Short mmCIF file of all heavy atoms in Angstrom, two decimals:
data_model
loop_
_atom_site.label_atom_id
_atom_site.label_comp_id
_atom_site.label_asym_id
_atom_site.label_seq_id
_atom_site.Cartn_x
_atom_site.Cartn_y
_atom_site.Cartn_z
N GLN A 471 96.23 77.18 112.65
CA GLN A 471 96.80 75.89 112.87
C GLN A 471 98.28 76.03 113.27
O GLN A 471 98.91 76.98 112.92
CB GLN A 471 96.64 74.98 111.65
CG GLN A 471 97.46 75.39 110.47
CD GLN A 471 97.40 74.36 109.35
OE1 GLN A 471 96.42 73.67 109.23
NE2 GLN A 471 98.48 74.29 108.54
N VAL A 472 98.73 75.01 114.01
CA VAL A 472 100.16 75.03 114.46
C VAL A 472 100.78 73.84 113.78
O VAL A 472 100.28 72.70 113.87
CB VAL A 472 100.20 74.93 115.99
CG1 VAL A 472 101.69 74.89 116.42
CG2 VAL A 472 99.48 76.08 116.65
N THR A 473 101.88 74.08 113.12
CA THR A 473 102.64 72.99 112.56
C THR A 473 104.03 72.95 113.21
O THR A 473 104.65 74.01 113.42
CB THR A 473 102.81 73.14 111.03
OG1 THR A 473 103.41 74.41 110.77
CG2 THR A 473 101.54 72.97 110.26
N VAL A 474 104.39 71.74 113.61
CA VAL A 474 105.72 71.56 114.21
C VAL A 474 106.44 70.50 113.40
O VAL A 474 105.91 69.42 113.21
CB VAL A 474 105.61 71.12 115.67
CG1 VAL A 474 106.95 71.25 116.37
CG2 VAL A 474 104.54 71.89 116.40
N SER A 475 107.59 70.85 112.86
CA SER A 475 108.35 69.86 112.10
C SER A 475 109.69 69.65 112.77
O SER A 475 110.17 70.48 113.57
CB SER A 475 108.50 70.30 110.63
OG SER A 475 109.09 71.59 110.64
N GLY A 476 110.29 68.53 112.43
CA GLY A 476 111.67 68.21 112.96
C GLY A 476 111.67 67.93 114.41
O GLY A 476 112.60 68.26 115.11
N VAL A 477 110.60 67.32 114.89
CA VAL A 477 110.53 66.91 116.30
C VAL A 477 111.46 65.70 116.49
O VAL A 477 111.33 64.76 115.71
CB VAL A 477 109.14 66.60 116.76
CG1 VAL A 477 109.11 66.19 118.21
CG2 VAL A 477 108.24 67.80 116.51
N GLY A 478 112.26 65.73 117.50
CA GLY A 478 113.22 64.60 117.75
C GLY A 478 112.49 63.26 117.88
O GLY A 478 111.36 63.19 118.37
N GLY A 479 113.16 62.22 117.34
CA GLY A 479 112.56 60.87 117.31
C GLY A 479 112.26 60.30 118.68
O GLY A 479 111.48 59.37 118.81
N ASN A 480 112.92 60.78 119.69
CA ASN A 480 112.70 60.26 121.03
C ASN A 480 111.37 60.62 121.65
O ASN A 480 110.99 60.20 122.72
CB ASN A 480 113.83 60.63 122.01
CG ASN A 480 113.96 62.12 122.09
OD1 ASN A 480 113.41 62.86 121.28
ND2 ASN A 480 114.75 62.58 123.06
N LEU A 481 110.66 61.51 120.94
CA LEU A 481 109.33 61.92 121.46
C LEU A 481 108.28 61.01 120.91
O LEU A 481 107.97 61.01 119.74
CB LEU A 481 109.02 63.37 121.02
CG LEU A 481 107.69 63.90 121.52
CD1 LEU A 481 107.72 64.10 123.04
CD2 LEU A 481 107.36 65.22 120.80
N ASP A 482 107.82 60.18 121.79
CA ASP A 482 106.86 59.21 121.27
C ASP A 482 105.47 59.53 121.87
O ASP A 482 105.06 58.90 122.81
CB ASP A 482 107.27 57.78 121.67
CG ASP A 482 106.39 56.74 121.01
OD1 ASP A 482 105.70 57.10 120.03
OD2 ASP A 482 106.32 55.63 121.49
N ILE A 483 104.84 60.53 121.30
CA ILE A 483 103.52 60.87 121.74
C ILE A 483 102.57 60.72 120.61
O ILE A 483 102.74 61.37 119.53
CB ILE A 483 103.49 62.34 122.26
CG1 ILE A 483 104.52 62.59 123.30
CG2 ILE A 483 102.11 62.67 122.85
CD1 ILE A 483 104.60 64.02 123.81
N SER A 484 101.55 59.91 120.81
CA SER A 484 100.56 59.74 119.74
C SER A 484 99.65 60.95 119.71
O SER A 484 99.45 61.64 120.73
CB SER A 484 99.77 58.49 120.00
OG SER A 484 98.94 58.69 121.14
N PRO A 485 99.04 61.23 118.55
CA PRO A 485 98.09 62.35 118.48
C PRO A 485 96.97 62.21 119.53
O PRO A 485 96.51 63.19 120.04
CB PRO A 485 97.56 62.22 117.07
CG PRO A 485 98.64 61.57 116.28
CD PRO A 485 99.29 60.62 117.25
N GLU A 486 96.54 60.95 119.76
CA GLU A 486 95.42 60.74 120.72
C GLU A 486 95.89 61.19 122.15
O GLU A 486 95.07 61.85 122.86
CB GLU A 486 95.06 59.22 120.78
CG GLU A 486 94.40 58.75 119.53
CD GLU A 486 95.33 58.54 118.37
OE1 GLU A 486 96.53 58.35 118.61
OE2 GLU A 486 94.93 58.66 117.18
N LEU A 487 97.15 60.84 122.48
CA LEU A 487 97.62 61.22 123.79
C LEU A 487 97.76 62.72 123.90
O LEU A 487 97.39 63.36 124.93
CB LEU A 487 98.98 60.52 124.07
CG LEU A 487 99.57 60.77 125.47
CD1 LEU A 487 98.62 60.26 126.56
CD2 LEU A 487 100.94 60.12 125.60
N LEU A 488 98.24 63.31 122.81
CA LEU A 488 98.42 64.76 122.82
C LEU A 488 97.02 65.44 122.94
O LEU A 488 96.85 66.40 123.71
CB LEU A 488 98.98 65.23 121.48
CG LEU A 488 100.49 65.44 121.43
CD1 LEU A 488 100.90 65.84 120.03
CD2 LEU A 488 100.90 66.53 122.40
N ALA A 489 96.01 64.87 122.27
CA ALA A 489 94.69 65.45 122.32
C ALA A 489 94.15 65.33 123.76
O ALA A 489 93.53 66.27 124.29
CB ALA A 489 93.74 64.69 121.37
N ALA A 490 94.42 64.19 124.39
CA ALA A 490 93.95 64.01 125.77
C ALA A 490 94.63 64.98 126.72
O ALA A 490 93.97 65.61 127.58
CB ALA A 490 94.24 62.56 126.23
N THR A 491 95.89 65.19 126.49
CA THR A 491 96.68 66.14 127.34
C THR A 491 96.13 67.54 127.16
O THR A 491 95.94 68.27 128.13
CB THR A 491 98.18 66.13 126.95
OG1 THR A 491 98.62 64.77 126.96
CG2 THR A 491 99.00 66.96 127.91
N LEU A 492 95.95 67.91 125.92
CA LEU A 492 95.46 69.28 125.65
C LEU A 492 94.01 69.50 126.16
O LEU A 492 93.69 70.60 126.60
CB LEU A 492 95.53 69.58 124.13
CG LEU A 492 96.94 69.81 123.59
CD1 LEU A 492 96.92 69.88 122.08
CD2 LEU A 492 97.56 71.05 124.16
#
Side-chain angles (χ1 to χ4, degrees):
Chain A
Q471 69 173 27
V472 178
T473 52
V474 193
S475 55
V477 179
N480 57 347
L481 180 70
D482 186 20
I483 305 177
S484 68
E486 291 74 25
L487 183 59
L488 265 177
T491 309
L492 288 170

